[in-house]
Amino acid sequence: MEPTATLPSTKAEIVKKAKAYITTLFEEKLSKQLVYHNLDHTVNTVREARALGQDAGLSEDDQEALVLAAWFHDAGYTEAYDGHEYRSMALAEQWLQEQHYPTDRTALVVDTIRATHRDEPRTTELQRLLVDADMSNTGREDFAARAELLRAEWELSQGRTFSSVGWAESQLDFLMSFKFLTSVAKNRYKEQLKENIKEQRKLLKKTEKKRKEKDKARTETFAEPKRGIETMFRTMYGNHMKLSDMADKKANMMISLNAVLISVIITYLGTKVGGKTAVLSPAITHNPVLSIPMGILLLTSLGSVVSAILSAQPDVTSFKWLKKSPEIATNRRVNLLFFGNFTKLNLDDFQGGMRELMRQKDSLYTNMVTDVYYLGEVLSRKYRLLRISYTIFMVGLILTALSFGIVLLYKL
């Protein structure tokens, strides 16, 4: 007996087998990150392809080829994302050959799948029907939900992120420019496509409104100040006043300490002999080398007390270019809330400037910001001089102790 040739599957069987093969393939190999191009999308495409094929009056053979192409059109996603259409063609061809599907019909299925690539021509009716079925979500009620799945897939698998407004704009542009390729698809989806465009416009307006509200809440304007802004200014003014008070106390401490040291040193160096003040005390006269540590301590104490006095003395921020002129009241660099500036104005101009300041909240906060800035400048000068005073005092003590130690060693 001659071996019996393997017969190709019947038409009903080949479609069932394709469904089972794709279902298993996606369950085993498709990445979980592909939440849009998954089995659900393929099932929808198959359903829409079958409906479009019936509306177009396809023959039984062509209907079968279209449905098979729909089952395999995204199979390539199991191996690659970009260019998956060509991998889908290869997988379909290999599987159909294993099923002993007719060669010419296999070539037709593979060629139909090719059209789903954006750069490939769509010349045959089957190709255009498959592309319309693949893009049928644009004319279905679940467009918005499916679009969000596509956005999530791109973010997860491709690292492409979109703002809510940007995504809504891109989807509206896509719907506005999209056109179905076949008349049966236009008739089937045109009404829902129009509704989707309207809904997308509404969604875009709603999304933009939410974004503007968030931006407004995040960057509240000076024209509508919040309690937080006023609290911020109160805190800043309070901190500046505390820091200034601390600086003045530290400066007074250094002035008092160094003044005492200078008085003691001068008293020690100048003593009375026979009712007259001598130039040098007997201790220095008998031990002239002691004049070195005493001189170091005297000089450093003098430098420290001078720096402390400069730090503690009142400092009023003023501008040499300021002259008594009404224009001062509108100058952004001038602070009408500070006496060092507004005393350059006569009473009428000052009153006019203050009334204008109270009417315009932007100008009011500008003056407060200016005041804080110049307070900071004064504080910076105070602490810089105070640091110099403490540094001189510390270095003076160290040098005095070292030189006194050297003197002791020298005398021994």
Side-chain angles (χ1 to χ4, degrees), residues 53-342:
Q54 292 174 353
D55 292 345
L58 293 180
S59 65
E60 189 176 349
D61 288 340
D62 285 348
Q63 178 79 341
E64 178 186 88
L66 177 62
V67 172
L68 286 173
W71 274 115
F72 277 91
H73 83 285
D74 275 349
Y77 274 112
T78 59
E79 299 182 4
Y81 201 94
D82 292 333
H84 68 274
E85 296 88 353
Y86 302 116
R87 294 304 307 150
S88 299
M89 293 165 58
L91 289 171
E93 184 176 21
Q94 178 183 354
W95 185 83
L96 289 172
Q97 287 176 353
E98 292 174 355
Q99 304 302 314
H100 303 285
Y101 198 64
T103 304
D104 59 330
R105 306 304 296 173
T106 298
L108 178 61
V109 172
V110 171
D111 191 55
T112 302
I113 296 173
R114 184 192 305 276
T116 59
H117 192 284
R118 60 182 176 276
D119 296 330
E120 294 288 347
R122 291 82 182 256
T123 56
T124 69
E125 185 179 21
L126 289 183
Q127 289 176 338
R128 291 192 288 268
L129 287 171
L130 179 59
V131 172
D132 284 346
D134 190 22
M135 302 302 296
S136 61
N137 66 298
T138 58
R140 298 204 308 263
E141 294 181 356
D142 62 346
F143 168 76
R146 301 295 301 175
E148 286 302 315
L149 290 176
L150 179 61
R151 177 184 178 183
E153 178 178 305
W154 282 352
E155 290 180 351
L156 291 171
S157 63
Q158 306 299 302
R160 299 170 60 183
T161 58
F162 304 85
S163 65
S164 297
V165 174
W167 179 255
E169 288 177 344
S170 68
Q171 292 304 294
L172 179 59
D173 291 341
F174 172 72
L175 288 175
M176 293 290 291
S177 61
F178 179 78
K179 295 183 182 300
F180 286 105
L181 302 178
T182 61
S183 58
V184 290
K186 293 176 182 177
N187 293 333
R188 183 179 178 84
Y189 304 117
K190 63 180 180 180
E191 294 302 325
Q192 188 59 46
L193 177 59
K194 292 179 181 178
E195 288 299 317
N196 289 340
I197 292 175
K198 291 180 181 178
E199 291 299 320
Q200 195 63 31
R201 282 176 175 157
K202 292 179 181 177
L203 178 61
L204 179 58
K205 290 180 180 178
K206 185 177 179 180
T207 306
E208 286 182 335
K209 183 178 179 181
K210 287 183 177 179
R211 178 184 61 80
K212 289 178 180 179
E213 289 176 351
K214 288 181 179 180
D215 292 343
K216 183 179 179 180
R218 186 171 58 251
T219 57
E220 191 69 33
T221 61
F222 286 154
E224 298 176 359
K226 294 286 187 179
R227 183 180 300 175
I229 297 177
E230 297 170 358
T231 303
M232 177 192 71
F233 276 112
R234 282 196 296 270
T235 303
M236 291 178 70
Y237 276 116
N239 290 338
H240 279 72
M241 294 301 103
K242 289 179 182 178
L243 290 171
S244 180
D245 185 56
M246 288 172 57
D248 289 339
K249 288 180 179 179
K250 291 179 181 294
N252 289 331
M253 182 179 68
M254 292 302 295
I255 292 171
S256 301
L257 179 59
N258 283 286
V260 171
L261 280 176
I262 292 172
S263 299
V264 171
I265 294 170
I266 292 176
T267 302
Y268 178 75
L269 291 178
T271 59
K272 289 186 178 181
V273 180
K276 295 182 179 180
T277 302
V279 178
L280 294 175
S281 68
I284 299 298
T285 305
H286 296 136
N287 300 293
V289 73
L290 287 175
S291 62
I292 296 176
M294 300 301 290
I296 292 173
L297 184 58
L298 178 61
L299 291 176
T300 53
S301 295
L302 182 61
S304 178
V305 75
V306 169
S307 300
I309 292 172
L310 290 175
S311 173
Q313 73 177 3
D315 186 15
V316 177
T317 303
S318 60
F319 302 103
K320 295 180 180 179
W321 47 268
L322 277 182
K323 297 180 181 179
K324 288 203 173 186
S325 171
E327 287 76 16
I328 294 176
T330 58
N331 194 305
R332 292 177 62 88
R333 294 186 62 188
V334 175
N335 178 20
L336 283 179
L337 306 178
F338 178 56
F339 77 93
N341 292 167
F342 68 68

Side-chain angles (χ1 to χ4, degrees), residues 363-379:
S363 298
L364 174 62
Y365 280 100
T366 298
N367 271 262
M368 293 176 71
V369 170
T370 304
D371 192 33
V372 171
Y373 177 82
Y374 290 129
L375 280 174
E377 280 195 341
V378 172
L379 272 180

